[in-house]
Amino acid sequence: MNFLTVLPLAVVMVAGTQLVVAVFLASSDRPRAASLGFLAGAGLVVAAGVTVAWLLAKLVGGAVADASAVAGKVDRGPAIDLVVLALLVILAVLIWVRRDRSGPPRWLGSVEHAGPPQALRLGGLLFVATPTDDLTMATVGASVARHDLPWWHLAPFVLVTVLLLALPLLALLLLGSRASRVLTRMRKWAEGHAWIVNEIVIAFFALLTVLDLIRSR
């Protein structure tokens, strides 16, 4: 496994309310400033989230390795793989249960007038308060730690997550007045079909985790 393997999970991070909020901000009173604030808040929280998960997995993995060494075994990988697999199952079930929730949240009306500070707070709180994002960050951090990859391997995941969130802003910058149609399509896709893509990505990553478990036996 390398850092490229976890990149598809960035889609799970943003496909849904997060992308809808990014679209609304790109259509707000101050689209550029508000969008940049939102991206900054999201990037900081995602970077912190995967880092905490990576550190915890390192600590837990080290404790498991020490206990295994006493019993004559040194492989800590299967234990972390099982944790990752459990997180993926919970994540898939949660997305399935929430799949019929359509339409933007009621509080999105205030986003149209958001300034950079409010958008920055929103970007941070949205990812902290969303269970699927918390589980995804935990999965990514644990997976990278399980394969003994250094911390910097988490950086591409954070960058791709922010880049996906930046798509509405990029559409606005590149298309100008013609961006409204593209932004509307992005919002409708995120509201109606994002869960399907999320489940496919989770299934793919779960398969890789199962293969790791089989190889470790």
Side-chain angles (χ1 to χ4, degrees):
M1 173 183 171
N2 54 47
F3 66 87
L4 296 176
T5 309
V6 300
L7 292 186
L9 287 175
V11 176
V12 181
M13 292 289 294
V14 305
T17 303
Q18 291 74 12
L19 186 58
V20 173
V21 172
V23 170
F24 269 76
L25 288 172
S27 307
S28 64
D29 296 339
R30 304 172 62 184
R32 293 170 178 80
S35 295
L36 290 175
F38 179 70
L39 295 176
L44 289 173
V45 167
V46 174
V50 294
T51 298
V52 169
W54 180 82
L55 289 172
L56 288 176
K58 284 283 189 181
L59 291 173
V60 173
V64 171
D66 291 341
S68 298
V70 175
K73 300 177 181 179
V74 294
D75 189 8
R76 68 183 183 183
I80 298 180
D81 280 335
L82 289 173
V83 172
V84 170
L85 194 58
L87 290 173
L88 289 170
V89 171
I90 296 172
L91 183 59
V93 171
L94 188 58
I95 290 174
W96 174 262
V97 170
R98 296 163 61 93
R99 71 190 186 283
D100 292 329
R101 295 186 181 182
S102 59
R106 296 178 180 178
W107 50 263
L108 270 183
S110 62
V111 171
E112 296 178 356
H113 309 293
Q118 181 183 352
L120 186 143
R121 291 192 298 270
L122 178 61
L125 290 174
L126 189 59
F127 281 88
V128 170
T130 303
T132 52
D133 287 338
D134 296 333
L135 290 171
T136 305
M137 288 186 285
T139 300
V140 170
S143 298
V144 171
R146 177 262 183 270
H147 291 86
D148 292 320
L149 298 176
W151 175 87
W152 69 265
H153 281 75
L154 297 169
F157 173 81
V158 177
L159 292 176
V160 171
T161 301
V162 173
L163 179 60
L164 292 175
L165 281 176
L167 290 178
L169 176 60
L170 293 176
L172 176 68
L173 295 176
L174 294 175
L175 300 177
S177 59
R178 295 175 297 173
S180 58
R181 182 177 299 178
V182 175
L183 294 177
T184 300
R185 289 178 178 175
M186 284 185 184
R187 178 177 60 81
K188 289 182 177 179
W189 176 86
E191 291 175 353
H193 302 92
W195 72 271
I196 300 175
V197 178
N198 288 343
E199 296 287 27
I200 293 173
V201 172
I202 292 169
F204 168 75
F205 199 78
L207 176 61
L208 294 180
T209 305
V210 170
L211 291 176
D212 278 339
L213 275 168
I214 294 173
R215 285 193 293 265
S216 65
R217 289 184 179 276

